[in-house]
Amino acid sequence: MPFAFFFLESEGFAGLKRGIRARILETLVMLILLALLILGIVWVALALIDNDAASMESLYDLWDFYLPYLYSCISLMGCLLLLLCTPVGLSRMFTVMGQLLVKPTILEDLDEQIYIITLEEEAIQRRLNGLSSSVEHNITELEQELDNVKTLKTKLERRKKASAWERNLVYPAVMVLLLIETSISVLLVACNILCLLVDETAMPKGTRGPGIGNASLSAFGFVGAALEIILIFYLMVSSVVGFYSLRFFGNFIPKKDDTTMTKIIGNCVSILVLSSALPVMSRTLGITRFDLLGDFGRFNWLGNFYIVLSYNLLFAIMTTLCLVRKFTSAVREELFKALGLHKLHLSDTSRDPETTKPSANGHQKAL
């Protein structure tokens, strides 16, 4: 990733012939200077903090000291990022699956809604045909509004063409499955907190499994191991969804025909950091005891009781708050409206595009 970034920004040294070789040479020089800078900073920092013989000897050990320490720092930053992304993603998954699946039609007349949205599309199209090319601002707004109307019309037509099984069985089953997986994740974290308070062997550092194929790491055998795998994949997807749902990283979402190479590199770096921290988070939260193939239990900060306990508590509290906020958002907004507090914009919950439906009188109303 650093090579790709510097190669993208390089132009070649002055006086050399422009081309691929000159750009590769400049990129390699920049990487060497960056490595020397990082090693120098770590060298000075460790010399100032731990000025003893053991620390001075470790300064010369690049393979067994620098690289594991650097990877440990990257995993720690990734775990902190997962602590923000995963609770948001667990609550956001319900909305994402609701957008991908066809919802049941309860007390809704899809034919009437399609008829109204068709009339609105024709009205916007007539307004576009009547405007002159000089009014560019109004034309841009109407084109954007026309695209939103066409998108809503496509969703309504898809809901109408969907079978009864897809509408009334698949959507409730997926929602119940997501709720069960989220509840099991929170319960496992709560049990791990109790184990940390009672048993010292529950710490993630130093706990090694019997190895692949020797014995089951789960007390429930094959069923427990399969459940751990499902939960880890669920947390992985939720962390990615939560990462792109955060306001700070919302601009990182790739767009078709409108994504720069720098943004692609940034997405790759973010996914790599999250993936490197996912096994560490799974061990820290007590979801699995399997060490994978990276020997993640060697990290020093995993042996700190207060860091591990605080991480578990923050994850359980933030996940619970995000879920409560998700399922009580409609009730909270109605209470704000009843008390007259909606004008103060105290509730900043973002509405989904498909929550705005056309009403019978042609106006828009939020369900």
Side-chain angles (χ1 to χ4, degrees):
M1 293 296 104
F3 179 85
F5 177 76
F6 287 123
F7 181 77
L8 183 66
E9 299 293 331
S10 64
E11 297 180 356
F13 292 110
L16 296 179
K17 186 178 179 180
R18 298 297 177 90
I20 298 297
R21 291 184 178 179
R23 296 181 62 183
I24 292 178
L25 179 61
E26 182 183 354
T27 303
L28 293 177
V29 172
M30 292 297 296
L31 287 176
I32 293 174
L33 293 176
L34 178 63
L36 292 176
L37 177 63
I38 294 177
L39 289 177
I41 292 175
V42 175
W43 189 296
V44 174
L46 291 178
L48 291 176
I49 296 174
D50 294 330
N51 192 10
D52 53 1
S55 298
M56 295 303 295
E57 291 180 1
S58 65
L59 292 177
Y60 299 96
D61 196 349
L62 178 64
W63 183 260
D64 293 331
F65 180 76
Y66 279 109
L67 296 182
Y69 182 75
L70 179 62
Y71 186 65
S72 176
C73 294
I74 293 175
S75 297
L76 178 59
M77 291 186 295
C79 287
L80 295 178
L81 185 59
L82 284 175
L83 187 61
L84 297 175
C85 300
T86 309
V88 177
L90 290 175
S91 62
R92 181 68 178 168
M93 283 292 293
F94 294 91
T95 303
V96 172
M97 296 306 297
Q99 294 174 354
L100 297 177
L101 301 176
V102 178
K103 295 182 179 180
T105 55
I106 302 175
L107 301 178
E108 286 187 277
D109 190 354
L110 294 180
D111 294 328
E112 181 183 0
Q113 294 183 13
I114 293 175
Y115 176 72
I116 293 172
I117 207 68
T118 303
L119 293 179
E120 186 175 354
E121 180 184 1
E122 294 175 355
I124 296 175
Q125 190 65 50
R126 285 195 297 268
R127 291 177 62 186
L128 278 173
N129 296 334
L131 288 176
S132 61
S133 59
S134 59
V135 191
E136 297 181 356
H137 182 67
N138 293 335
I139 290 178
T140 305
E141 290 182 354
L142 287 177
E143 288 178 350
Q144 182 66 31
E145 187 176 355
L146 182 61
D147 292 338
N148 295 335
V149 170
K150 288 182 178 180
T151 303
L152 182 57
K153 182 181 178 181
T154 303
K155 292 180 180 180
L156 291 175
E157 291 176 349
R158 179 178 174 237
R159 292 183 62 188
K160 183 180 179 181
K161 294 178 182 178
S163 62
W165 289 96
E166 186 179 358
R167 288 197 306 264
N168 302 322
L169 182 62
V170 176
Y171 180 81
V174 171
M175 291 295 110
V176 172
L177 182 62
L178 291 178
L179 184 61
I180 292 175
E181 290 181 347
T182 306
S183 302
I184 292 176
S185 302
V186 176
L187 288 176
L188 287 177
V189 175
C191 294
N192 188 50
I193 293 174
L194 295 178
C195 292
L196 288 173
L197 296 175
V198 175
D199 190 5
E200 294 182 356
T201 60
M203 293 291 294
K205 181 177 175 58
T207 56
R208 296 180 178 271
I212 300 177
N214 296 328
S216 178
L217 291 175
S218 176
F220 300 97
F222 174 78
V223 178
L227 180 62
E228 290 180 1
I229 294 173
I230 294 173
L231 289 178
I232 291 174
F233 273 100
Y234 179 58
L235 291 177
M236 178 183 67
V237 177
S238 300
S239 63
V240 175
V241 172
F243 175 78
Y244 289 110
S245 299
L246 296 176
R247 293 182 180 180
F248 184 76
F249 301 103
N251 296 327
F252 268 41
I253 301 177
K255 298 179 182 179
K256 184 179 180 181
D257 299 330
D258 190 22
T259 305
T260 61
M261 185 59 66
T262 305
K263 186 179 290 186
I264 293 176
I265 294 174
N267 279 273
C268 294
V269 171
S270 303
I271 297 300
L272 284 174
V273 171
L274 293 177
S275 62
S276 65
L278 181 65
V280 184
M281 186 190 72
S282 302
R283 283 178 59 94
T284 305
L285 297 178
I287 295 177
T288 182
R289 294 189 297 115
F290 187 44
D291 204 21
L292 300 183
L293 301 179
D295 200 10
F296 300 99
R298 296 182 304 169
F299 296 160
N300 293 328
W301 59 272
L302 289 179
N304 192 312
F305 173 77
Y306 297 101
I307 293 179
V308 175
L309 182 62
S310 301
Y311 193 89
N312 282 264
L313 288 174
L314 287 175
F315 183 87
I317 293 173
M318 292 177 64
T319 303
T320 305
L321 291 178
C322 288
L323 292 176
V324 170
R325 182 175 180 270
K326 170 67 179 177
F327 291 110
T328 61
S329 60
V331 179
R332 187 174 61 252
E333 290 180 2
E334 293 299 328
L335 287 176
F336 284 157
K337 290 180 181 179
L339 297 176
L341 300 177
H342 61 285
K343 299 179 181 179
L344 301 177
H345 303 286
L346 296 177
S347 179
D348 57 350
T349 55
S350 59
R351 295 185 181 275
D352 301 324
E354 62 180 15
T355 55
T356 304
K357 303 292 183 181
S359 62
N361 57 4
H363 299 286
Q364 299 291 330
K365 65 179 182 179
L367 297 181

